[in-house]
Amino acid sequence: QIDACRIEAGELDRAASQGLFDWNNALELADIVSGKITAREHDDQTILFKSVGLGLEDIALAEFARQKALKSPLTFREGDPFCEPNR
């Protein structure tokens, strides 16, 4: 998918040419979601997600983020259909 980004994501290519983005730091979403690799090692690191038209990846990312949120000490609103607080 990184190859697809290189072709379809012109804004990332422009950012790379300006020294604002490094393709060597790009990671595959499947590797992150599966736990094969860690996306961030420190809180000050930023994650940028670029979808290049694969809806399955969007769904995987949403579920990954939801699971992370459920494990966090965040307070959820009563009745939120997507989030249930840890009890």
Side-chain angles (χ1 to χ4, degrees):
Q1 302 307 322
I2 292 173
D3 290 336
C5 274
R6 286 180 180 263
I7 295 167
E8 297 180 31
E11 66 275 17
L12 291 180
D13 198 40
R14 283 189 295 280
S17 70
Q18 296 172 7
L20 302 171
F21 176 76
D22 185 349
W23 284 106
N24 294 318
N25 292 330
L27 305 171
E28 294 283 350
L29 177 62
D31 292 339
I32 296 167
V33 173
S34 70
K36 183 177 176 182
I37 58 175
T38 301
R40 291 185 345 162
E41 295 179 359
H42 307 286
D43 288 342
D44 62 343
Q45 293 177 307
T46 302
I47 294 176
L48 168 71
F49 172 71
K50 176 61 180 169
S51 176
V52 289
L54 297 175
L56 182 60
E57 288 186 349
D58 295 345
I59 292 168
L61 178 63
E63 178 59 16
F64 178 74
R66 188 180 82 83
Q67 291 297 324
K68 286 285 199 181
L70 290 173
K71 293 177 184 175
S72 77
L74 298 174
T75 302
F76 296 100
R77 286 178 278 171
E78 186 81 24
D80 187 332
F82 299 105
C83 299
E84 299 173 7
N86 283 338
R87 299 187 198 272

